[in-house]
Amino acid sequence: MSHRLADPVIHHWPERESDDDQLRLECGVCGVWGAPGNEASSIVALGLHALQHRGQEACGIASVADTHFHTERHVGLVGEAFGSTDLTGRLPGSASVGHTRYSTSGGSFLRNIQPMFADLDTGGIAVAHNGNLTNFLFLRNQLVAEGAIFQSTSDSEVILHLIARSRKARVVDRFIDALARIEGGYALVAQTPKKMIGARDPLGIRPLVLGRLGDAWVLASETCALDTMGATFVRDVEHGEVVVIDEDGLRSLKPFPARAARPCLFEYVYFARPDSVVNGRSVYEVRKRMGHGLAREHAIDADVVVPVPDSGVPAALGYSQASGIPYEMGIIRSHYLGRTFIQPSQGARQKGVRMKHSPNRSVLEGKRVVLIDDSIVRGTTSVKLVRAVRAAGATEVHLRSASPPILYPDFYGIDMPEREQLLAANKTPEEMRALLEVDSLGFLSVDGLYAAMEAGPRDPANPQFTDHYFTGDYPTRLLDREIAEGGRDASPRQLSLLVSA
């Protein structure tokens, strides 16, 4: 079933800087079961490092040895937290689960960093979660009314409470019991003293893959993590599937009614690393085909094709190949801006784009430039880049977006502005072109994006992907939002205090 909202304006992300134009996915997860010696946490740390693009503000690892759990959670990058010393002494064990995240509301407080851990009557359990529960507030209010005490503002903690309150005897059944009550998009990796459990939401909105490292099993958000760990890809965890890994091997459970998969298109547009394979599709090749489609739909007479690095590079290569216009690195990205760099004034923040992206005058001067970006959100970064390209001597700038216009906010784990802050939702194409100060502007069509996925035209009755940010067609109900809009049990202020995984 699809759920279309005509005017979704209430959103539970915090207010962002007015010049912040970067989309963020909230998490990456990784787990290892059956590693030799005490190496599981070290292997997980490698996987988290590969998944750092999915979350760069906080990270954590939990390991289990002889039924005893050891956990560390840190604000900062994976390398800062887990890269300086041997982890086998700090986090021993042959099984481990890890998490890397961006903070949203509430900040990178230690209490919100995952994996979340609890001692149950069946033993300890650590849970790492990527995604967002769209009925979090509804469940949280119910649990609090029943006497539950929450230690964080993260929706992931709801899952632990639901597991703890299940009346089932076995921990796997309790886990499934909890899944039956949550809604939204999620990929979960849970660790108990005797099992590792992985689960993916019934629509497969968020990705999760299964791999082998020798005799060990690995779960991770993307295949690039398997590559870094030296693991071999086995398969995707299927939508609605629960995998249970223990000393007897792997079991696959399908506890819920079968539904058609609808994976998130933004994994391909922006979030996944280009060297990952998501749901059987090479992210790099999909992005190149997006560029091919852009060249067909929005051809222009120009001298050079220039990507906005790094996410615009594959699409720009595709545009160049399809159009015959030479590809050049007209913008150079700095990879050495630390996360702690301080920009104390508005003027300094406005200059920040020059530190991150520097125009290459030797490529741009006197040229008609096709500038390729993965997407356009607010447009604040785009206009700064356009001005920089013009200042470097470009005679024309033609901006192309490798995704369709973003018209609606996300509720499944993407930190996306409210609708009134989305450029395409509030401006006509000509108004956008004028605001962005470009000679022409073009967006890949929705059908063009589907073609890049090699999926055929979009079926409005049964969309093949989660694409609500372009179409308004939400794949699940949004219970917390509906409650807030109806003025029942929750206010927009309460929603704004929540932290997504």
Side-chain angles (χ1 to χ4, degrees), residues 412-479:
Y412 303 103
I414 302 174
D415 186 2
M416 189 177 286
E418 298 172 1
R419 193 178 187 201
E420 62 264 27
Q421 297 174 314
L422 294 170
L423 183 66
N426 296 281
K427 302 288 185 185
T428 67
E430 175 55 26
E431 287 172 337
M432 284 191 286
R433 186 204 64 75
L435 186 147
L436 295 171
E437 303 176 9
V438 292
D439 296 280
S440 71
L441 175 65
F443 293 86
L444 185 65
S445 67
V446 172
D447 281 343
L449 181 53
Y450 270 67
M453 296 291 293
E454 298 184 322
R458 182 181 190 271
D459 180 358
N462 294 290
Q464 302 96 306
F465 301 98
T466 289
D467 58 13
H468 52 275
Y469 15 74
F470 310 129
T471 66
D473 189 349
Y474 289 83
T476 73
R477 69 172 182 168
L478 306 175
L479 183 58

Side-chain angles (χ1 to χ4, degrees), residues 31 49 144 158 176 213 303 385 398 401 415 417 421 440 446 482:
H49 191 273
V144 169
V158 162
I176 292 171
L213 181 59
D303 301 310
L385 286 170
H398 303 275
S401 168
D415 186 2
Q421 297 174 314
S440 71
V446 172
E482 293 166 5

Side-chain angles (χ1 to χ4, degrees), residues 156-448:
S156 308
E157 191 178 355
V158 162
I159 299 168
L160 284 178
H161 282 279
L162 293 174
I163 294 170
R165 287 169 177 262
S166 171
R167 300 190 177 209
K168 303 288 186 181
R170 300 188 308 162
V171 68
V172 172
D173 294 328
R174 289 185 173 196
F175 186 84
I176 292 171
D177 229 12
L179 296 184
R181 295 186 62 184
I182 64 177
E183 299 173 6
Y186 58 82
L188 297 169
V189 180
Q191 185 69 66
T192 76
K194 296 183 179 181
K195 303 179 190 300
M196 182 168 71
I197 308 170
R200 198 172 173 196
D201 66 80
L203 296 175
I205 297 173
R206 299 270 72 88
L208 189 65
V209 297
L210 177 70
R212 293 301 300 266
L213 181 59
D215 293 329
W217 289 96
V218 179
L219 289 166
S221 291
E222 294 182 35
T223 59
C224 64
L226 303 183
D227 296 337
T228 300
M229 290 184 285
T232 302
F233 173 76
V234 174
R235 63 177 177 87
D236 290 286
V237 176
E238 297 180 18
H239 58 290
E241 182 182 16
V242 176
V243 294
V244 181
I245 300 165
D246 56 24
E247 61 183 10
D248 295 323
L250 180 142
R251 287 182 293 141
S252 171
L253 306 175
K254 299 285 186 67
F256 306 115
R259 300 176 65 181
R262 287 186 64 178
C264 174
L265 278 176
F266 249 107
E267 292 285 348
Y268 301 92
V269 170
Y270 179 76
F271 291 119
R273 249 175 51 169
D275 54 329
S276 284
V277 176
V278 178
N279 301 305
R281 294 176 174 87
S282 161
V283 174
Y284 178 76
E285 294 299 331
V286 170
R287 290 178 185 168
K288 280 211 303 182
R289 290 195 293 269
M290 291 175 188
H292 294 164
L294 263 179
R296 290 191 297 269
E297 295 180 0
H298 298 283
I300 195 72
D301 190 14
D303 301 310
V304 291
V305 175
V306 171
V308 176
D310 290 323
S311 55
V313 169
L317 283 169
Y319 193 102
S320 174
Q321 291 171 354
S323 67
I325 302 171
Y327 169 96
E328 297 286 355
M329 294 299 293
I331 298 174
I332 308 302
R333 181 187 172 192
S334 171
H335 294 268
Y336 304 102
L337 289 179
R339 62 178 292 275
T340 57
F341 180 78
I342 298 172
Q343 297 176 341
S345 69
Q346 178 65 17
R349 285 195 295 270
Q350 290 173 346
K351 293 181 177 65
V353 70
R354 301 179 194 174
M355 298 183 63
K356 185 176 181 181
H357 294 111
S358 300
N360 184 354
R361 181 175 290 273
S362 66
V363 167
L364 301 172
E365 191 167 22
K367 301 295 178 55
R368 298 168 298 170
V369 177
V370 183
L371 189 61
I372 308 289
D373 207 348
D374 60 88
S375 58
I376 300 173
V377 187
R378 300 170 189 252
T380 50
T381 297
S382 299
V383 72
K384 294 173 187 176
L385 286 170
V386 169
R387 289 172 180 171
V389 169
R390 288 198 187 277
T395 59
E396 296 177 11
V397 181
H398 303 275
L399 182 59
R400 299 291 182 264
S401 168
S403 72
I406 300 173
L407 301 173
Y408 298 90
D410 181 77
F411 296 87
Y412 303 103
I414 302 174
D415 186 2
M416 189 177 286
E418 298 172 1
R419 193 178 187 201
E420 62 264 27
Q421 297 174 314
L422 294 170
L423 183 66
N426 296 281
K427 302 288 185 185
T428 67
E430 175 55 26
E431 287 172 337
M432 284 191 286
R433 186 204 64 75
L435 186 147
L436 295 171
E437 303 176 9
V438 292
D439 296 280
S440 71
L441 175 65
F443 293 86
L444 185 65
S445 67
V446 172
D447 281 343

